[in-house]
Amino acid sequence: MRFQYLRLMRQSASAHSLAMGLAVGVFVGFLPIIPFQTVVSLALAFVLRGNPVGAAIGTFVSNPLNVIPFYAMLYWVGGLLWHTTVAFDPSHLDMTHMLELGLDFFLVMCLGGVVLGIPAAFVTYMLTFRGVNAYRQRRTIKLLRAWQARRDAGFAQAGLHAQADQADQADRAGQTARAGQTARAGQTGRTGQTSHVGRLHQSPPPSQTDRTVGADTSGGHDGDRS
Protein backbone atom coordinates (compact mmCIF):
# COMPACT_ATOMS: atom_id res chain seq x y z
CA MET A 1 0.00 0.00 0.00
CA ARG A 2 2.84 2.38 0.76
CA PHE A 3 4.46 1.58 -2.58
CA GLN A 4 1.23 2.29 -4.45
CA TYR A 5 0.76 5.48 -2.43
CA LEU A 6 4.23 6.80 -3.33
CA ARG A 7 3.80 5.61 -6.89
CA LEU A 8 0.65 7.71 -7.20
CA MET A 9 1.90 10.79 -5.36
CA ARG A 10 5.12 11.03 -7.36
CA GLN A 11 3.38 11.15 -10.71
CA SER A 12 4.04 14.32 -12.70
CA ALA A 13 0.35 14.74 -13.57
CA SER A 14 -1.87 17.42 -12.06
CA ALA A 15 -3.79 16.86 -8.85
CA HIS A 16 -7.06 16.79 -10.81
CA SER A 17 -5.76 14.12 -13.19
CA LEU A 18 -4.52 11.95 -10.34
CA ALA A 19 -7.75 12.33 -8.39
CA MET A 20 -9.87 11.61 -11.44
CA GLY A 21 -7.86 8.54 -12.36
CA LEU A 22 -8.05 7.10 -8.85
CA ALA A 23 -11.77 7.86 -8.61
CA VAL A 24 -12.41 6.10 -11.92
CA GLY A 25 -10.44 3.09 -10.73
CA VAL A 26 -12.40 2.92 -7.48
CA PHE A 27 -15.71 3.15 -9.33
CA VAL A 28 -14.74 0.34 -11.70
CA GLY A 29 -13.46 -1.68 -8.74
CA PHE A 30 -17.03 -1.73 -7.41
CA LEU A 31 -18.34 -3.26 -10.61
CA PRO A 32 -18.55 -7.09 -10.81
CA ILE A 33 -16.59 -7.35 -14.04
CA ILE A 34 -13.57 -9.43 -13.02
CA PRO A 35 -11.19 -9.88 -14.90
CA PHE A 36 -11.88 -6.78 -17.01
CA GLN A 37 -11.64 -4.13 -14.32
CA THR A 38 -8.19 -2.82 -15.30
CA VAL A 39 -9.04 -2.56 -18.99
CA VAL A 40 -12.31 -0.74 -18.32
CA SER A 41 -10.71 1.63 -15.80
CA LEU A 42 -7.94 2.57 -18.27
CA ALA A 43 -10.51 3.24 -20.99
CA LEU A 44 -12.61 5.45 -18.71
CA ALA A 45 -9.49 7.26 -17.50
CA PHE A 46 -8.55 8.01 -21.11
CA VAL A 47 -12.03 9.40 -21.81
CA LEU A 48 -12.20 11.48 -18.62
CA ARG A 49 -8.53 12.60 -18.85
CA GLY A 50 -7.62 10.81 -15.67
CA ASN A 51 -4.22 9.45 -14.77
CA PRO A 52 -3.91 5.82 -15.95
CA VAL A 53 -1.66 4.84 -13.04
CA GLY A 54 -4.26 6.12 -10.59
CA ALA A 55 -6.98 4.26 -12.47
CA ALA A 56 -5.08 0.99 -12.27
CA ILE A 57 -4.38 1.49 -8.56
CA GLY A 58 -8.00 2.34 -7.79
CA THR A 59 -9.28 -1.03 -8.98
CA PHE A 60 -7.53 -2.65 -6.01
CA VAL A 61 -10.42 -1.53 -3.84
CA SER A 62 -11.70 -5.03 -4.59
CA ASN A 63 -8.93 -7.57 -4.32
CA PRO A 64 -8.50 -11.28 -3.55
CA LEU A 65 -8.33 -10.53 0.18
CA ASN A 66 -11.78 -8.92 0.42
CA VAL A 67 -13.59 -10.00 -2.72
CA ILE A 68 -16.05 -12.37 -1.01
CA PRO A 69 -17.43 -9.93 1.61
CA PHE A 70 -17.14 -7.10 -0.92
CA TYR A 71 -19.28 -8.85 -3.53
CA ALA A 72 -21.68 -10.05 -0.85
CA MET A 73 -22.24 -6.38 0.03
CA LEU A 74 -22.93 -5.61 -3.65
CA TYR A 75 -25.41 -8.47 -3.82
CA TRP A 76 -27.24 -7.25 -0.72
CA VAL A 77 -27.47 -3.61 -1.88
CA GLY A 78 -28.46 -4.60 -5.41
CA GLY A 79 -31.11 -6.95 -4.03
CA LEU A 80 -32.79 -3.96 -2.42
CA LEU A 81 -33.30 -2.46 -5.89
CA TRP A 82 -33.88 -5.55 -8.01
CA HIS A 83 -35.26 -8.88 -6.91
CA THR A 84 -33.56 -12.11 -7.85
CA THR A 85 -34.10 -15.71 -6.88
CA VAL A 86 -30.47 -16.68 -7.40
CA ALA A 87 -28.50 -16.99 -4.17
CA PHE A 88 -25.06 -15.51 -3.77
CA ASP A 89 -22.32 -18.06 -4.53
CA PRO A 90 -18.76 -17.19 -3.40
CA SER A 91 -17.34 -19.68 -5.90
CA HIS A 92 -18.81 -17.79 -8.87
CA LEU A 93 -17.43 -14.26 -8.60
CA ASP A 94 -16.01 -13.64 -12.06
CA MET A 95 -18.13 -12.06 -14.76
CA THR A 96 -18.62 -15.15 -16.93
CA HIS A 97 -19.83 -17.29 -14.01
CA MET A 98 -22.27 -14.58 -12.92
CA LEU A 99 -23.76 -14.49 -16.41
CA GLU A 100 -24.12 -18.25 -16.28
CA LEU A 101 -26.15 -17.87 -13.08
CA GLY A 102 -28.54 -15.59 -14.85
CA LEU A 103 -28.80 -12.07 -16.23
CA ASP A 104 -30.92 -10.91 -13.30
CA PHE A 105 -28.20 -11.98 -10.85
CA PHE A 106 -25.56 -10.06 -12.82
CA LEU A 107 -27.89 -7.04 -12.96
CA VAL A 108 -28.31 -7.13 -9.17
CA MET A 109 -24.56 -7.15 -8.72
CA CYS A 110 -24.10 -4.28 -11.17
CA LEU A 111 -26.78 -2.18 -9.45
CA GLY A 112 -25.11 -2.70 -6.11
CA GLY A 113 -21.76 -1.73 -7.60
CA VAL A 114 -23.09 1.46 -9.18
CA VAL A 115 -24.99 2.55 -6.07
CA LEU A 116 -21.94 2.09 -3.87
CA GLY A 117 -19.33 3.03 -6.47
CA ILE A 118 -20.58 6.56 -7.29
CA PRO A 119 -20.31 8.00 -3.75
CA ALA A 120 -17.07 6.07 -3.21
CA ALA A 121 -15.61 7.60 -6.37
CA PHE A 122 -16.74 11.10 -5.33
CA VAL A 123 -15.17 10.78 -1.87
CA THR A 124 -12.03 9.32 -3.43
CA TYR A 125 -11.73 12.28 -5.80
CA MET A 126 -12.08 14.85 -3.02
CA LEU A 127 -9.66 13.14 -0.66
CA THR A 128 -7.10 12.45 -3.38
CA PHE A 129 -7.23 16.00 -4.75
CA ARG A 130 -6.61 17.51 -1.33
CA GLY A 131 -4.08 14.86 -0.38
CA VAL A 132 -2.00 15.36 -3.52
CA ASN A 133 -1.92 19.13 -3.05
CA ALA A 134 -0.97 18.77 0.62
CA TYR A 135 1.72 16.20 -0.18
CA ARG A 136 3.24 18.38 -2.88
CA GLN A 137 3.16 21.42 -0.63
CA ARG A 138 4.96 19.55 2.15
CA ARG A 139 7.46 18.17 -0.34
CA THR A 140 8.10 21.63 -1.77
CA ILE A 141 8.70 23.05 1.72
CA LYS A 142 11.02 20.15 2.54
CA LEU A 143 13.03 20.64 -0.65
CA LEU A 144 13.18 24.39 -0.03
CA ARG A 145 14.50 23.89 3.49
CA ALA A 146 17.08 21.43 2.22
CA TRP A 147 18.17 23.92 -0.43
CA GLN A 148 18.45 26.69 2.16
CA ALA A 149 20.50 24.42 4.41
CA ARG A 150 22.89 23.65 1.55
CA ARG A 151 23.10 27.33 0.68
CA ASP A 152 23.87 28.31 4.29
CA ALA A 153 26.49 25.58 4.49
CA GLY A 154 28.05 26.90 1.29
CA PHE A 155 28.10 30.45 2.66
CA ALA A 156 29.69 29.25 5.90
CA GLN A 157 32.31 27.29 4.01
CA ALA A 158 33.00 30.30 1.80
CA GLY A 159 33.41 32.46 4.93
CA LEU A 160 35.90 29.99 6.39
CA HIS A 161 37.86 30.04 3.15
CA ALA A 162 37.83 33.85 3.17
CA GLN A 163 39.10 33.91 6.76
CA ALA A 164 41.83 31.42 5.86
CA ASP A 165 42.84 33.56 2.87
CA GLN A 166 42.98 36.66 5.06
CA ALA A 167 45.11 34.83 7.61
CA ASP A 168 47.46 33.67 4.86
CA GLN A 169 47.71 37.18 3.49
CA ALA A 170 48.45 38.52 6.98
CA ASP A 171 51.14 35.87 7.48
CA ARG A 172 52.74 36.69 4.15
CA ALA A 173 52.64 40.41 4.95
CA GLY A 174 54.27 39.77 8.35
CA GLN A 175 56.96 37.64 6.76
CA THR A 176 57.63 40.34 4.16
CA ALA A 177 57.86 43.03 6.86
CA ARG A 178 60.25 40.93 8.95
CA ALA A 179 62.39 40.23 5.90
CA GLY A 180 62.53 43.96 5.11
CA GLN A 181 63.53 44.81 8.66
CA THR A 182 66.27 42.15 8.59
CA ALA A 183 67.58 43.45 5.26
CA ARG A 184 67.65 47.06 6.49
CA ALA A 185 69.42 46.01 9.70
CA GLY A 186 72.03 44.13 7.67
CA GLN A 187 72.63 47.08 5.39
CA THR A 188 73.04 49.41 8.39
CA GLY A 189 75.54 47.04 10.03
CA ARG A 190 77.60 46.68 6.87
CA THR A 191 77.63 50.48 6.37
CA GLY A 192 78.89 51.02 9.94
CA GLN A 193 81.64 48.43 9.56
CA THR A 194 82.79 50.00 6.30
CA SER A 195 82.95 53.46 7.86
CA HIS A 196 84.94 52.15 10.84
CA VAL A 197 87.46 50.33 8.65
CA GLY A 198 87.90 53.45 6.52
CA ARG A 199 88.71 55.54 9.52
CA LEU A 200 91.27 52.98 10.67
CA HIS A 201 93.10 53.06 7.30
CA GLN A 202 93.33 56.89 7.16
CA SER A 203 96.93 58.28 8.03
CA PRO A 204 97.14 60.67 10.99
CA PRO A 205 98.22 64.23 10.13
CA PRO A 206 101.99 64.92 10.64
CA SER A 207 102.96 66.64 13.87
CA GLN A 208 105.23 69.71 14.23
CA THR A 209 108.22 67.58 15.24
CA ASP A 210 107.85 65.37 12.18
CA ARG A 211 107.78 68.42 9.96
CA THR A 212 110.99 69.79 11.61
CA VAL A 213 112.81 66.48 11.23
CA GLY A 214 111.74 66.29 7.65
CA ALA A 215 113.04 69.74 6.99
CA ASP A 216 116.42 68.92 8.62
CA THR A 217 116.73 65.84 6.49
CA SER A 218 116.13 67.78 3.30
CA GLY A 219 118.82 70.29 4.24
CA GLY A 220 116.60 73.19 4.85
CA HIS A 221 118.27 74.13 8.14
CA ASP A 222 122.04 73.74 7.73
CA GLY A 223 122.81 76.36 10.32
CA ASP A 224 121.00 74.45 13.00
CA ARG A 225 122.74 71.22 12.05
CA SER A 226 126.21 72.88 12.27
Side-chain angles (χ1 to χ4, degrees), residues 50-136:
N51 183 263
V53 175
I57 294 175
T59 58
F60 283 95
V61 66
S62 59
N63 54 76
L65 297 178
N66 67 352
V67 64
I68 294 178
F70 192 86
Y71 274 26
M73 179 181 60
L74 299 184
Y75 176 81
W76 180 78
V77 174
L80 298 177
L81 304 175
W82 190 271
H83 179 69
T84 181
T85 58
V86 180
F88 177 75
D89 187 1
S91 62
H92 297 79
L93 298 180
D94 59 280
M95 182 177 176
T96 55
H97 289 167
M98 289 182 184
L99 291 174
E100 291 176 357
L101 293 176
L103 185 60
D104 58 342
F105 179 80
F106 181 70
L107 181 60
V108 167
M109 297 293 292
C110 288
L111 286 175
V114 171
V115 170
L116 295 178
I118 291 178
F122 177 77
V123 173
T124 300
Y125 177 87
M126 298 299 297
L127 294 179
T128 304
F129 185 81
R130 295 182 179 180
V132 170
N133 287 331
Y135 173 84
R136 290 179 174 176

Side-chain angles (χ1 to χ4, degrees), residues 29 98 100 103 123 142 147 166 191 193 206 220:
M98 289 182 184
E100 291 176 357
L103 185 60
V123 173
K142 182 179 179 180
W147 175 80
Q166 291 178 359
T191 302
Q193 291 176 359

Side-chain angles (χ1 to χ4, degrees), residues 148-207:
Q148 290 177 347
R150 289 194 301 268
R151 185 193 61 179
D152 295 340
F155 286 161
Q157 188 174 6
L160 292 176
H161 287 321
Q163 292 178 358
D165 292 339
Q166 291 178 359
D168 292 339
Q169 292 177 0
D171 291 339
R172 287 195 294 269
Q175 292 176 0
T176 303
R178 288 192 296 271
Q181 292 176 358
T182 303
R184 286 194 298 271
Q187 292 177 358
T188 303
R190 287 193 297 272
T191 302
Q193 291 176 359
T194 303
S195 300
H196 180 67
V197 171
R199 286 194 298 268
L200 291 175
H201 286 285
Q202 288 179 358
S203 301
S207 61

Side-chain angles (χ1 to χ4, degrees), residues 7-64:
R7 181 186 176 191
L8 178 66
M9 290 298 180
R10 293 178 180 177
Q11 294 288 314
S12 59
S14 63
H16 167 74
S17 177
L18 293 175
M20 181 60 69
L22 192 64
V24 167
V26 169
F27 174 76
V28 175
F30 274 83
L31 299 179
I33 55 175
I34 296 175
F36 305 105
Q37 289 180 337
T38 303
V39 176
V40 174
S41 65
L42 292 177
L44 286 178
F46 177 77
V47 173
L48 299 176
R49 300 180 182 274
N51 183 263
V53 175
I57 294 175
T59 58
F60 283 95
V61 66
S62 59
N63 54 76

